[in-house]
Amino acid sequence: MLGVFSTAIVSPPDELVAAGCRTPSPKITADALVKRFLETNSSAVSMQIGDHVQFAYSHHNESALKPRSFAVKDEIFCLFEGALDNLGSLKQQYGLGKSADEVILVIEAYKALRDRAPYPPSHVVGHLSGSFAFVVFDKSTSTLFVASDQFGKVPLYWGITADGYVAFADNADLLKGSCGKSLASFPQGCFFSTAVGELMSYENPKNKITVVPAEEEEIWGATFKVEGPAVLAATE
């Protein structure tokens, strides 16, 4: 799966910008990145959302235990990969029908976060149990929300294209050839929200996230780490 967002939606993380400047490396534009995704994934689907966002996904080479899915509801677009262990209880909590799957559940959870303010994002994402990574874009508010499970069972990466777009993908090689050293693994147990304005740990929301510049020989430009001892956020 792939999501790319212009600077009108999200400002590129300073740490990834700096990483690309320290070690200049080849990059391509956001449009070229989406084209590369479509060319290298059979039966891939892409969509332009307004002037500043593109989504693309494919079921090519997906895991049977961690399938990819896409849905849009009430102008909320979501790419989801993985499976939730507690999907049944969450469907009851959000009042969803038996046919609702993970991607619909995430959209409903995001709507609860958006419409029931102040409703902490750590509380919403902390209820999700299983293997997952997802990218949500709310076109009505131009809000981006991204999260990864607490054990990193579904890989997720982010980087910056040649024209300054921020890209999220589950394929490191795709971004490595497109974002150069402006590339990092998205930290497990964390979420990024343009509404909040920063990257945060939903397991340990009070703990600061630090960025360690990568060594020259590493493919990553930086590594994001959650500081301090683990103190799990309340999810009851």
Side-chain angles (χ1 to χ4, degrees):
M1 64 181 184
L2 173 68
V4 292
F5 304 85
S6 82
T7 53
I9 303 299
V10 55
S11 297
D14 293 339
E15 298 84 0
L16 293 186
V17 174
C21 294
R22 279 196 310 273
T23 309
S25 49
K27 294 184 177 185
I28 60 176
T29 66
D31 284 343
L33 171 58
V34 174
K35 182 179 179 181
R36 177 176 291 179
F37 180 92
L38 296 175
E39 291 174 346
T40 55
N41 290 276
S42 60
S43 303
V45 176
S46 69
M47 64 211 77
Q48 179 79 39
I49 307 170
D51 296 327
H52 304 290
V53 178
Q54 292 187 74
F55 272 15
Y57 73 100
S58 169
H59 296 295
H60 179 65
N61 285 341
E62 75 176 10
S63 165
L65 300 177
K66 302 172 187 175
R68 304 184 191 103
S69 52
F70 166 79
V72 56
K73 182 179 180 182
D74 300 330
E75 293 198 309
I76 301 171
F77 297 76
C78 181
L79 288 169
F80 183 96
E81 181 171 347
L84 296 177
D85 298 333
N86 59 340
L87 178 61
S89 61
L90 288 173
K91 285 194 290 188
Q92 288 184 329
Q93 178 181 331
Y94 288 100
L96 299 176
K98 292 183 179 180
S99 62
D101 58 7
E102 281 88 349
V103 68
I104 293 296
L105 185 281
V106 167
I107 289 176
E108 292 299 325
Y110 167 80
K111 286 175 66 178
L113 168 65
R114 182 193 67 185
D115 300 337
R116 299 179 193 173
Y119 202 49
S122 58
H123 193 75
V124 175
V125 189
H127 276 91
L128 306 181
S129 175
S131 308
F132 64 86
F134 63 79
V135 179
V136 170
F137 178 65
D138 184 349
K139 186 180 178 184
S140 66
T141 60
S142 295
T143 299
L144 168 66
F145 191 94
V146 182
S148 174
D149 73 66
Q150 49 267 63
F151 301 109
K153 294 179 181 178
V154 176
L156 185 65
Y157 311 92
W158 56 341
I160 306 172
T161 65
D163 46 351
Y165 279 60
V166 178
F168 296 87
D170 59 352
N171 185 328
D173 291 333
L174 175 71
L175 294 190
K176 183 171 65 174
S178 308
C179 301
K181 281 285 188 177
S182 295
L183 171 66
S185 178
F186 191 86
Q188 61 193 44
C190 291
F191 71 89
F192 178 83
S193 168
T194 53
V196 174
E198 62 181 324
L199 177 70
M200 294 182 65
S201 167
Y202 60 82
E203 282 196 301
N204 306 286
K206 294 183 178 180
N207 291 13
K208 182 181 178 181
I209 297 178
T210 57
V211 185
V212 181
E215 300 294 333
E216 288 292 328
E217 62 272 14
E218 294 186 54
I219 66 169
W220 313 118
T223 301
F224 292 79
K225 294 183 177 181
V226 180
E227 283 189 349
V231 181
L232 299 184
T235 56
E236 296 299 327

